[in-house]
Amino acid sequence: MSTWQDLVTASLIGTERAEVPATRIPGWPAAEALGPDGRAGHPASQDGLSGQDGLSWDPAALLLDQAALLTVARRAGRTADEAEPLAAAGPDPRPVASPAAGERLARILRGDHPDLLAEWLRAAAARGLRAPAQVLPALLDRCRRAGPADSGLRRLVAEAGGARARWLAGLNPDWKWLADLSPDQATGAADAGTGEEPGQRTTGARQPGDAWQPGDAWRLGDIGQRRGYLAALRAGDPGAARDLIAASWAAASASERVMFLRVLADAPSLVPDQPGLMPEDERLLEAALDDRAEDVHGWAGYLLATLPGSALGQRMAARALRSVAVRAGTQGSYLVVRPPAGYDPALRRDGISPGAAAGRTSLAEPTRLVLEIVARTPLRTWADAFKMAPSAIVALGSGTWAPVLFTGWSRAAIAQRDQEWMAGLINEAVSGRPPGTSSENEALSQLARRADPALGGPGGVPGPEPGVPAAVRNAITVLRFRYDMLKELDDDHSDG
């Protein structure tokens, strides 16, 4: 019996050059009905389109008929045959998330705030919970569609699904990506030892079905598998991950060097509400500022701006205070902004150059220059200089510069994971000056996804009031969705 793939192949090649494969389906003409040339289609019928019993003999139409019948047959099932019982899934002692949390996960997978999937999975893992069995097929399929580039999501799904997800993956070839994950990626606990000198990469490919050995993902894997290995190593042994990056840097391509830095950016923090960087990372990142690849030194500058006490942060703070100042007026204090004269070599080295943020904003150069400096300035700079709390600073009037400062502070708050600033910015958007530009709307959307979900609970942000902009209403909706999502994961799951 020909397979579905045989029909797909014939349709792609074309019936002029390929035979229509005979497909044995109940009710379909037997092999004796084939034409004298042995082809499944016979163009010599009276009307050129159909043969006896109204069946099509045109090759193209016949192929479509066979595809339609095979589709019905596949949906209907197959004749019972001898079968061995499936082996049971391995044990997983972790409790299942509560029914409400499981339904929330199903909603996310159906398209209700799908960008919050990773947060649900991380929160479940932090609480020692596993995903309900009924959502595992959708989770595995979501990762299949995402592809190997999203190795972080695949690792989270593998962890949340546990033994039952691995069992399911063995039953469906479309989910074989889970079997292809190295143990380092699947468990999130990498072995620092690769069996080779740091940075060395073995040539040659891993064969399908080969068992992963510690370090194989780094030595033999593609860039997605290498990223997964490095991320797991960074989570378990930050120093070993940094040494591996340093040893691999010279031989790595520009895209791989960017991947190294993105792993550092996404690393879990050892200190609550702080970026996942460490003071020991500064030397590596400062050297990366001199990389010839624009994306590489841009990422290095971004990361250094989030590292508390970094030399780059101090340089940005000095630039920011030369550009933004607070003044006292008859109706209260306000901010004045004076953009820098241009892009000097030191500013370019720190990751801000003409066109460096192409695609992120269409602002004029002086405006964009202020935005990039503010976004890279340590937030404590403003509180120390102005002697004000973040909520008071963001409420200061600044005229036409207000959208630029709001966007820059929002980017800084997200990068530096500063919850006080995020709360102040969200409250200003909800209760004070509402966002009015596309860049502010996007900044508010990201704030709602990074801020403390408690802002969406009782006593959090007010509103939404009638007539508020859609961006404000959407931000409040996201905050409340996240609050409910995490509350459900905290609920009793003993009966889940």
Side-chain angles (χ1 to χ4, degrees):
M1 178 178 179
S2 71
T3 63
W4 175 260
Q5 190 58 45
D6 294 331
L7 293 175
V8 172
T9 301
S11 69
L12 292 174
I13 297 175
T15 55
E16 293 294 326
R17 294 184 295 162
E19 294 184 359
V20 178
T23 305
R24 295 178 59 189
I25 301 174
W28 191 250
E32 302 88 272
L34 298 177
D37 59 355
R39 293 171 61 90
H42 196 310
S45 59
Q46 293 297 317
D47 58 8
L49 294 175
S50 61
Q52 58 184 171
D53 300 325
L55 296 175
S56 172
W57 289 110
D58 173 66
L62 182 60
L63 186 147
L64 294 175
D65 288 343
Q66 290 186 346
L69 287 171
L70 184 56
T71 297
V72 173
R74 293 172 72 194
R75 290 176 178 174
R78 66 179 186 181
T79 304
D81 198 355
E82 295 292 333
E84 293 293 331
L86 292 174
D92 191 336
R94 297 175 299 171
V96 182
S98 69
E103 176 55 30
R104 178 81 55 173
L105 175 58
R107 286 175 55 188
I108 292 172
L109 290 167
R110 290 194 298 265
D112 194 355
H113 301 295
D115 54 322
L116 299 179
L117 174 59
E119 183 177 8
W120 191 101
L121 295 170
R122 280 193 294 267
R127 291 162 173 77
L129 303 175
R130 57 186 169 95
Q134 64 268 26
V135 301
L136 292 181
L139 269 177
L140 293 169
D141 218 42
R142 169 68 178 80
C143 286
R144 177 189 61 80
R145 295 194 304 271
D150 201 346
S151 60
L153 179 62
R154 289 187 165 192
R155 181 170 58 82
L156 288 171
V157 169
E159 185 175 3
R164 186 174 290 269
R166 293 192 293 275
W167 175 78
L168 275 176
L171 304 177
N172 186 346
D174 287 343
W175 300 333
K176 71 180 186 67
W177 60 264
L178 183 54
D180 289 340
L181 282 182
S182 72
D184 305 329
Q185 292 174 280
T187 64
D191 184 345
T194 65
E196 298 178 350
E197 292 299 318
Q200 183 178 355
R201 188 175 185 183
T202 301
T203 58
R206 172 182 176 269
Q207 297 301 313
D210 288 352
W212 282 103
Q213 300 299 320
D216 276 356
W218 183 258
R219 296 182 294 107
L220 305 176
D222 57 30
I223 191 168
Q225 291 163 333
R226 284 163 63 80
R227 177 174 180 169
Y229 176 87
L230 185 61
L233 181 60
R234 177 69 178 185
D237 190 341
R242 181 172 53 252
D243 292 343
L244 187 56
I245 291 174
S248 306
W249 192 271
S253 65
S255 61
E256 285 186 309
R257 298 196 299 275
V258 169
M259 180 269 285
F260 296 163
L261 298 181
R262 294 188 68 173
V263 167
L264 296 181
D266 295 337
S269 176
L270 300 178
V271 180
D273 295 332
Q274 290 294 324
L277 295 175
M278 307 172 68
E280 295 83 357
D281 298 327
E282 184 171 10
R283 181 178 178 182
L284 172 68
L285 296 174
E286 272 286 343
L289 289 176
D290 296 315
D291 197 284
R292 296 177 62 183
E294 185 175 285
D295 284 348
V296 175
H297 76 246
W299 268 98
Y302 166 80
L303 289 175
L304 283 166
T306 70
L307 181 62
S310 71
L312 181 139
Q314 296 173 32
R315 297 193 293 268
M316 287 296 178
R319 295 176 181 121
L321 294 178
R322 289 195 296 268
S323 299
V324 182
V326 64
R327 295 285 186 268
T330 57
Q331 297 182 344
S333 298
Y334 62 96
L335 296 173
V336 294
V337 179
R338 295 186 179 86
Y343 299 89
D344 57 43
L347 190 61
R348 292 170 185 260
R349 181 180 181 271
D350 284 346
I352 302 179
S353 58
R360 295 174 66 176
T361 174
S362 58
L363 300 173
E365 283 301 316
T367 304
R368 191 180 70 81
L369 185 51
V370 171
L371 171 62
E372 296 299 326
I373 290 175
V374 170
R376 288 168 168 79
T377 296
L379 289 166
R380 63 175 297 174
T381 301
W382 310 106
D384 290 347
F386 299 163
K387 309 301 182 187
M388 296 180 180
S391 57
I393 294 173
V394 300
L396 292 172
S398 53
T400 57
W401 288 99
V404 178
L405 295 177
F406 182 91
T407 304
W409 282 329
S410 297
R411 283 170 48 185
I414 292 169
Q416 297 170 39
R417 305 182 190 181
D418 192 308
Q419 291 296 334
E420 187 178 5
W421 272 87
M422 286 192 236
L425 289 159
I426 290 173
N427 278 301
E428 174 64 16
V430 172
S431 305
R433 186 190 66 85
T437 66
S438 59
S439 61
E440 287 182 288
N441 290 340
E442 175 60 24
L444 179 59
S445 174
Q446 293 304 313
L447 286 170
R449 287 160 171 78
R450 303 295 192 280
D452 185 347
L455 290 174
V461 294
E465 297 295 334
V468 299
V472 173
R473 187 180 304 108
N474 292 339
I476 295 173
T477 299
V478 169
L479 283 167
R480 291 177 176 172
F481 187 97
R482 293 178 61 223
Y483 174 81
D484 291 338
M485 178 178 77
L486 298 183
K487 183 176 183 298
E488 291 159 356
L489 284 168
D490 286 331
D491 285 346
D492 178 31
H493 45 261
S494 58
D495 296 328

